[in-house]
Amino acid sequence: MKKTSIIGLIIIALAIGAIVSMYGDASTYEGFEVAGDNPGKEYHVVGVLNRQKEKYYDPQKDANYFSFYLIDDKGKESKVVYHNPEPADFDRSEKVVIVGSMEGDHFEASKILLKCPSK
């Protein structure tokens, strides 16, 4: 076998290994129930803000603590804690996508993505 063929096979094997390892770490879209069954694993949860319950953000006390209640697409509700300031236009959003994991009785969000209403 030629030296270039061996190098080519090694490069292909490394590329396949990299793709498989990234796929295993990728987060998935689920609800609070699945996230609660697998604490510490990162998930994307899609839902709507529960406007009946109070959201909490007091920048004078702690500018990096924001909490609210979200109802996922399967109808389950959970408290969400986000350790960053409240996103702009949060109250106007139609849908909310949170990225993070369940930690005890609440969901710790590392990212919040908003879908605002169309004009």
Side-chain angles (χ1 to χ4, degrees), residues 32-69:
F32 289 125
E33 187 170 337
V34 173
D37 291 341
N38 302 290
K41 186 173 179 189
E42 187 171 270
Y43 290 100
H44 287 74
V45 177
V46 180
V48 294
L49 177 65
N50 184 347
R51 298 182 194 285
Q52 306 302 317
K53 291 198 175 176
E54 183 179 351
K55 64 178 183 155
Y56 177 80
Y57 180 62
D58 187 352
Q60 269 64 32
K61 283 187 177 179
D62 187 355
N64 289 322
Y65 183 88
F66 173 53
S67 68
F68 58 95
Y69 288 86

Side-chain angles (χ1 to χ4, degrees), residues 2-44:
K2 291 185 179 180
K3 192 175 189 180
T4 56
S5 298
I6 294 172
I7 292 172
L9 287 173
I10 291 172
I11 290 173
I12 290 171
L14 290 173
I16 290 172
I19 290 170
V20 168
S21 70
M22 286 189 304
Y23 179 73
D25 292 339
S27 60
T28 58
Y29 284 88
E30 291 292 346
F32 289 125
E33 187 170 337
V34 173
D37 291 341
N38 302 290
K41 186 173 179 189
E42 187 171 270
Y43 290 100
H44 287 74

